[in-house]
Amino acid sequence: MKRKRHKARSVWIDITFSAAIVLLTLSAIFLVFMTENGHTASQSEKETKSSSPLETEQIDSNYPGIKIVTKTSNDKNAPFAIQYPQSIHSSFNSEVKNYIDEVQVRYLDTLTKKKQQDKKTTGELNISYETLPHASGNYSFVLVTSSRYSDTDTGKTEIRSFHLNPETGESFTIRDLFEDDSDRLQSLSSLVRAEILKDESLKGHLIQKDMERFTEPRWMNYRNFSVTDDALIFYFDENTIANNIVGPPIIAVSIDAVKELLATTFKPEDKEETVDIVDKDKGEEIAEENIEENSTVPSSETEVSKENDETETTLPETSLRKKVALTFDDGPDPKVTRQILNTLQKHDAKATFFMLGSRVEYYPDIVNEMMEAGHELGNHTWTHADLTKLGPDRVAKEIEKTSAIIEEVTGQKVEAFRPPYGAVNDAVHNMTGLPIILWDVDTLDWKYRDSARILQVVKENVKDGSIILMHDIHQSTADGLDAVLTYLSNEGYDFVTVKELEETSS
Ligand code: ZN
């Protein structure tokens, strides 16, 4: 049964499931971390300013030792959205970065060539990834690269995996999982072939000869993989073992099926034995602890409603002033977003953050700080994909997964959506079920990365009721914000969320 579920879920992990597990483990890890270092959350916040950015992000990430890097270009001629993992280990970092650079160069080259043939060519490059932790502390990162060069082009999807032991900084490969043993490789090959033949989604798409060739017992064939506590998952290139299916074939083998072949580090803990050792009383204690941890969730919800009451009561006093809604996209970022939150607090300003679900998964703490400070939490998809170029299933997943993780982290419902690149069509419009919020003042902060220029654009374009677009992943944006807020405040503007703006204008 377990195996079937893995097969069906393709590249997309069932986020409600994994986030729940991640949050539970995180709270445990975080508790251990705090007691070991004698830190409190607020102490480590104060320290972030003096410590190096890498260390800061390491502490804040949901995945210890890993940060998520997001690069977006809203350039209409060559848009891209790229996300990749980085650690504190330079060899792993350059391995990933080299691949990213190579893909980006390939994309821009192809686009340039295609433009020479047809000036109207538009491209799109999207790299996103999944983080799959293993009980041993090792990580598998599965990078999914999709590129296309016209609206009718179905595009190409490429999957590459990277693997890190965050303690040693060493990468591991499929050989390490099987101790470089050719007999074990032979067994693996047979297991994978059996899974392929059982896979319903591949029925009628398999080419026997190719399937055998690409699953031959050669390490190369199994280089793209991820290892979790439940399964060993393999990612094959598009049109290799199967044809005319959506995306690259993904084959999961249950850990139970391969456990005898795995190196000690990756062998599953024998669950039955540990259950036997734990006596009844201890088992109950653990169960009670879990309940206590869970019961802390509703208490933060009550804090939310308090915050909302406070903001509502302050509204009437300020209604004569002009209003502007500041919006920040593509975050959260542990350093930049936190600096922005501090600046907003200084000016008693409320703003709206349109966040990527993939980053919320990494940095839940900062999202809670945002919510507690009374800012509005908005949905900006999971991977920053151009939704007008995706099928309905993908569009739904991009939006639903993101709302789900924001709600899971904060207990607050998401009530605003901003499509990446501002790209909407009727299909996207009908599917969101949320108000679609665009903007009228584009600071182009992502393009110029110039703190002073943001104020200049705002001065020239702002009016009562404006929605200003900025991005909380660029240091220059955080650095330029104070001047923008000072200027607008002196001009008689109050800073409200998009929801408040909509309520007062209607
Ligand atoms: Zn964006």
Side-chain angles (χ1 to χ4, degrees):
M1 286 307 281
K2 236 179 201 175
R3 255 178 275 171
K4 273 204 172 152
R5 196 192 299 154
H6 276 287
K7 252 185 282 175
R9 69 182 183 185
S10 80
V11 194
W12 288 95
I13 238 178
D14 182 344
I15 194 59
T16 36
F17 224 144
S18 61
I21 294 161
V22 160
L23 283 172
L24 273 175
T25 44
L26 174 78
S27 49
I29 291 163
F30 195 66
L31 277 174
V32 171
F33 174 83
M34 288 203 305
T35 41
E36 270 179 6
N37 294 278
H39 272 192
T40 65
S42 60
Q43 266 174 331
S44 65
E45 264 167 48
K46 277 172 204 160
E47 280 164 20
T48 54
K49 275 186 184 164
S50 54
S51 58
S52 82
L54 212 53
E55 280 168 34
T56 307
E57 279 153 313
Q58 204 191 335
I59 289 164
D60 280 352
S61 168
N62 211 347
Y63 296 105
I66 310 298
K67 66 169 180 164
I68 178 170
V69 179
T70 298
K71 292 204 302 184
T72 50
S73 166
N74 299 326
D75 181 350
K76 285 205 170 64
N77 294 313
F80 62 76
I82 295 171
Q83 300 189 302
Y84 58 93
Q86 292 282 264
S87 69
I88 53 163
H89 303 288
S90 55
S91 63
F92 169 81
N93 290 354
S94 45
E95 196 189 324
V96 176
K97 188 69 175 27
N98 287 345
Y99 172 70
I100 298 290
D101 289 348
E102 180 205 305
V103 170
Q104 228 183 324
V105 167
R106 220 196 300 153
Y107 166 68
L108 292 172
D109 279 356
T110 311
L111 194 56
T112 310
K113 275 184 201 134
K114 289 195 186 262
K115 268 186 193 294
Q116 282 165 358
Q117 288 158 8
D118 177 5
K119 274 189 180 171
K120 282 178 193 161
T121 305
T122 56
E124 207 214 339
L125 173 67
N126 192 290
I127 306 178
S128 59
Y129 72 95
E130 241 186 84
T131 310
L132 297 113
H134 183 265
S136 60
N138 291 294
Y139 287 114
S140 300
F141 301 98
V142 179
L143 273 68
V144 182
T145 298
S146 51
S147 55
R148 76 185 77 218
Y149 299 94
S150 81
D151 290 349
T152 50
D153 180 5
T154 50
K156 269 189 188 153
T157 304
E158 182 179 281
I159 296 185
R160 285 287 172 276
S161 67
F162 295 87
H163 310 90
L164 175 71
N165 176 333
E167 270 174 35
T168 62
E170 278 164 22
S171 292
F172 61 92
T173 67
I174 191 67
R175 284 172 180 246
D176 298 320
L177 257 67
F178 294 91
E179 294 184 335
D180 225 342
D181 183 320
S182 60
D183 289 343
R184 295 183 188 195
L185 175 61
Q186 186 75 53
S187 308
L188 173 67
S189 169
S190 309
L191 281 167
V192 169
R193 282 177 182 173
E195 284 300 330
I196 290 173
L197 294 174
K198 275 194 272 174
D199 195 312
E200 290 293 332
S201 68
L202 298 178
K203 288 238 158 82
H205 299 283
L206 290 177
I207 304 149
Q208 190 65 22
K209 242 177 135 187
D210 286 348
M211 191 278 266
E212 280 169 14
R213 187 176 141 217
F214 288 103
T215 54
E216 258 176 40
R218 296 172 59 222
W219 296 114
M220 259 303 274
N221 285 335
Y222 299 94
R223 68 192 185 284
N224 289 305
F225 71 97
S226 59
V227 56
T228 71
D229 302 331
D230 303 319
L232 185 54
I233 305 162
F234 294 99
Y235 309 88
F236 293 95
D237 289 343
E238 273 183 321
N239 302 316
T240 54
I241 64 167
N243 265 332
N244 301 318
I245 60 161
V246 180
I250 298 168
I251 302 298
V253 181
S254 85
I255 281 294
D256 286 342
V258 287
K259 67 179 175 190
E260 299 306 329
L261 309 171
L262 289 173
T264 326
T265 317
F266 296 97
K267 272 202 206 304
E269 281 173 33
D270 210 323
K271 281 164 203 162
E272 279 165 52
E273 253 177 55
T274 47
V275 170
D276 285 344
I277 293 164
V278 175
D279 62 58
K280 262 193 180 173
D281 289 348
K282 272 193 178 169
E284 275 167 29
E285 264 174 51
I286 291 164
E288 271 170 37
E289 270 171 41
N290 283 346
I291 292 161
E292 267 173 49
E293 263 178 44
N294 287 340
S295 69
T296 58
V297 179
S299 75
S300 68
E301 272 174 41
T302 47
E303 274 170 43
V304 180
S305 51
K306 257 187 244 163
E307 283 287 345
N308 284 348
D309 288 347
E310 276 168 35
T311 51
E312 271 168 38
T313 51
T314 56
L315 260 178
E317 299 166 30
T318 57
S319 56
L320 288 175
R321 286 167 64 92
K322 290 182 281 186
K323 285 186 167 58
V324 64
L326 304 169
T327 63
F328 298 94
D329 291 10
D330 299 0
D333 178 275
K335 184 164 181 277
V336 176
T337 307
R338 191 163 278 130
Q339 189 181 328
I340 286 172
L341 289 177
N342 288 339
T343 307
L344 290 170
Q345 189 182 23
K346 185 182 148 192
H347 292 267
D348 194 23
K350 297 288 175 270
T352 306
F353 291 85
F354 290 99
M355 297 178 281
L356 297 177
S358 52
R359 296 193 63 100
V360 173
E361 184 195 23
Y362 259 67
Y363 307 115
D365 292 355
I366 188 82
V367 183
N368 271 314
E369 286 173 37
M370 214 179 257
M371 183 268 292
E372 279 158 20
H375 302 295
E376 186 171 357
L377 314 176
N379 181 328
H380 194 44
T381 74
W382 192 267
T383 70
H384 207 277
D386 181 341
L387 298 183
T388 61
K389 291 177 180 158
L390 297 183
D393 286 1
R394 287 279 315 275
V395 171
K397 269 174 185 162
E398 286 277 349
I399 297 168
E400 284 163 16
K401 266 180 71 171
T402 304
S403 284
I405 196 154
I406 296 172
E407 288 171 24
E408 178 151 2
V409 162
T410 63
Q412 198 168 69
K413 253 191 125 36
V414 175
E415 288 173 301
F417 174 70
R418 173 170 287 166
Y421 313 104
V424 270
N425 56 19
D426 287 348
V428 173
H429 213 281
N430 293 336
M431 286 189 72
T432 56
L434 293 168
I436 292 178
I437 310 295
L438 298 176
W439 58 87
D440 63 298
V441 179
D442 185 353
T443 60
L444 296 174
D445 59 338
W446 60 272
K447 192 173 184 180
Y448 299 110
R449 310 283 182 95
D450 177 349
S451 306
R453 199 156 177 159
I454 301 172
L455 177 59
Q456 205 51 48
V457 176
V458 168
K459 273 184 183 175
E460 284 163 16
N461 298 288
V462 72
K463 57 180 193 291
D464 190 15
S466 273
I467 298 177
I468 301 177
L469 169 64
M470 286 173 277
H471 296 83
D472 58 329
I473 51 169
H474 306 307
Q475 186 57 45
S476 49
T477 301
D479 293 341
L481 186 63
D482 190 48
V484 172
L485 289 174
T486 304
Y487 168 79
L488 288 171
S489 197
N490 290 338
E491 291 291 307
Y493 284 96
D494 277 344
F495 308 101
V496 298
T497 63
V498 288
K499 195 183 173 195
E500 283 176 68
L501 194 67
E502 299 227 312
E503 279 166 0
T504 47
S505 67
S506 61

